[in-house]
Amino acid sequence: MHLRLWLIPSTIIAFSAIFIGEPEALAAVTNLSIASPDAIPTLPANYTFTQQITLSNKTDATAYDVKASVVLLAPETSYSEVALVQESQTPVSTYHDQYGNLIGTFLWNAIAPHTSVNLTLTYTATSSEVNYHLPTTYPPYNAHSSVYKFYTNPQLESQQVNTDSPVLEQIDQSVIKPGENPEQKAQALFNWVVQNIHYNYSLQASGSAVATAETHLGICSDFADLYVGLLRTAKIPARFVGGYVTSNGSGQGGFHQWVEFYLPSVGWVVADPTWGAYGYFASLQDHWHIGLYDGIRKDITVTWNYSPSALTATQAKKQITISYQYQFHKTVPIAPLKPVIAPKHKAAKKVRPILDPPIISHKVQSVPLNFWQQLWVSVTQWFSNGTRTLAHWLAKYF
């Protein structure tokens, strides 16, 4: 799971068939919904996809109390509905993070040297084209609402988004005209990004909204950073959606990031600035976008304990590595859910830019065992070794 991308050498992405057993208890858990009542989804396509996460112990020492916090579900949108239907292991707990993602916590008591454990998750998804019935006038934002305060906060994702920075303020002031409503402001900023930022086909991220604005180059995460930063600076709530796009017009699929902004009386409205030259303001002209997580965050965080007598701190940092396998399968699109309406913001369909490199974002952290934990490990190992020796002696002489 999509996605804000930090390259870690141990991460491996592969696409292959995966088979798993019967569903566990979590299969009944569903995600939150932030769908707008003014959205008109049409021409839905159904998908199944499977994710397998493998944690591998690469050292000669045991890793203890391994805990993985995994993004299971993003909030449901007006165009993307995802359901978890099978999992190979039941999480010990679940919770929703600050962005509304459902997080599952999985535990393994120990991972032996040079062995691996697998976590397999299978999903169904529906992705739809979408347009919106947008009004011509809007009430003012409720500046005291949680959505407004959270998604315009300059401290939120500040390293990447740079909300209220002088560079973004200057762009806003030059683009937005007096008296424009929030939708008009959002479209004006969208158009500025589309006209001034070029896709970096070397796939090198600029890394922040300001850097993207100054270099005029970026990949999809940079387009999203800049557009979100400009919106929030203009006091329009905006958020990130990370996920998978199953095609880009030429048969290529990959991980991708796009944006939603909040309009009073309407709710969240989608926009994809990376593909803005082909439409994608207040609309998706495809049924390819599958949301996997919201916000700038790690898809998976793994922590574990190690024995200081067996590993140095440097060795322990590399004790556990993570690999992913994904499989996406599309079924035939079903009949439209609602009558197709003429999109308000329409452009010709063309081949889209290539997508970002398929790198999954994650974090690993090793923690040394304390004295009592080390003592318990030593006692249990002594008892286990003694039991095996006794069993061998009994088998030999009796």
Side-chain angles (χ1 to χ4, degrees):
M1 316 167 349
H2 261 12
L3 314 153
R4 174 69 49 163
L5 315 175
W6 282 269
L7 176 60
I8 298 180
S10 61
T11 304
I12 303 170
I13 304 295
F15 298 89
S16 61
I18 302 171
F19 303 93
I20 70 172
E22 294 297 317
E24 297 290 345
L26 188 64
V29 175
T30 58
N31 46 342
L32 300 174
S33 176
I34 53 172
S36 168
D38 291 297
I40 310 297
T42 58
L43 301 176
N46 293 330
Y47 299 86
T48 60
F49 64 96
T50 306
Q51 178 193 25
Q52 179 170 293
I53 301 170
T54 301
L55 307 182
S56 300
N57 183 350
K58 297 295 186 180
T59 66
D60 295 326
T62 300
Y64 302 97
D65 302 320
V66 181
K67 180 174 75 172
S69 296
V70 181
V71 178
L72 299 177
L73 291 167
E76 180 182 299
T77 68
S78 301
Y79 51 87
S80 175
E81 301 176 14
V82 179
L84 175 60
V85 295
Q86 290 182 319
E87 65 280 343
S88 59
Q89 179 175 331
T90 304
V92 296
S93 63
T94 59
Y95 64 94
H96 287 95
D97 69 4
Q98 61 179 342
Y99 303 106
N101 300 298
L102 179 66
I103 313 299
T105 302
F106 299 86
L107 294 178
W108 294 267
N109 292 330
I111 301 179
H114 303 290
T115 61
S116 301
V117 295
N118 295 315
L119 172 63
T120 308
L121 306 169
T122 296
Y123 296 84
T124 60
T126 299
S127 179
S128 304
E129 296 189 13
V130 68
N131 292 285
Y132 297 80
H133 279 309
L134 297 179
T136 56
T137 60
Y138 295 86
Y141 283 106
N142 178 2
H144 301 290
S145 70
S146 58
V147 167
Y148 184 88
K149 290 191 293 185
F150 185 75
Y151 286 104
T152 60
N153 183 358
Q155 302 306 314
L156 179 64
E157 301 156 326
S158 59
Q159 183 177 351
Q160 297 86 11
V161 179
N162 311 139
T163 301
D164 292 348
S165 66
V167 171
L168 301 193
E169 287 180 340
Q170 183 177 5
I171 295 172
D172 277 7
Q173 292 169 4
S174 67
V175 170
I176 296 174
K177 298 178 181 179
E180 288 185 321
N181 65 41
E183 180 201 347
Q184 292 169 330
K185 293 177 182 178
Q187 185 173 15
L189 295 172
F190 182 90
N191 292 342
W192 188 93
V193 172
V194 172
Q195 294 164 7
N196 289 274
I197 308 302
H198 307 287
Y199 195 87
N200 188 347
Y201 285 92
S202 68
L203 302 182
Q204 296 297 314
S206 64
S208 73
V210 168
T212 304
E214 292 177 340
T215 62
H216 296 274
L217 279 175
I219 58 176
C220 73
S221 58
D222 300 314
F223 277 76
D225 285 345
L226 178 55
Y227 189 42
V228 167
L230 291 171
L231 288 166
R232 291 180 182 173
T233 300
K235 305 309 177 187
I236 298 174
R239 66 189 192 91
F240 296 91
V241 183
Y244 193 87
V245 177
T246 59
S247 176
N248 70 347
S250 61
Q252 178 188 357
F255 295 103
H256 191 47
Q257 285 187 321
W258 55 97
V259 174
E260 290 196 357
F261 59 93
Y262 193 87
L263 293 177
S265 78
V266 173
W268 291 105
V269 176
V270 70
D272 190 340
T274 307
W275 292 357
Y278 317 106
Y280 289 84
F281 177 80
S283 71
L284 291 179
Q285 299 183 44
D286 62 64
H287 44 222
W288 306 336
H289 287 63
I290 300 174
L292 299 179
Y293 73 100
D294 282 13
I296 300 176
R297 57 152 297 133
K298 306 296 184 183
D299 307 327
I300 176 173
T301 301
V302 179
T303 61
W304 68 93
N305 293 327
Y306 69 93
S307 173
S309 61
L311 295 174
T312 65
T314 300
Q315 292 170 329
K317 290 180 180 179
K318 301 179 181 180
Q319 185 174 20
I320 299 294
T321 61
I322 306 172
S323 66
Y324 285 75
Q325 292 178 318
Y326 273 96
Q327 178 195 14
F328 282 81
H329 174 71
K330 177 183 175 182
T331 62
V332 178
I334 60 178
L337 293 176
K338 298 181 180 180
V340 179
I341 63 170
K344 183 176 180 180
H345 308 278
K346 187 177 181 180
K349 291 187 177 182
K350 301 178 182 179
V351 175
R352 280 66 167 170
I354 60 176
L355 303 169
D356 285 0
I359 307 300
I360 296 297
S361 165
H362 69 266
K363 179 180 180 181
V364 294
Q365 181 180 1
S366 55
V367 180
L369 294 170
N370 61 38
F371 171 78
W372 296 108
Q373 290 173 321
Q374 293 184 67
L375 178 61
W376 175 251
V377 168
S378 298
V379 170
T380 54
Q381 288 179 340
W382 175 84
F383 182 79
S384 177
N385 292 336
T387 301
R388 284 197 296 269
T389 301
L390 178 61
H392 178 75
W393 183 83
L394 291 174
K396 182 178 181 179
Y397 294 103
F398 295 97

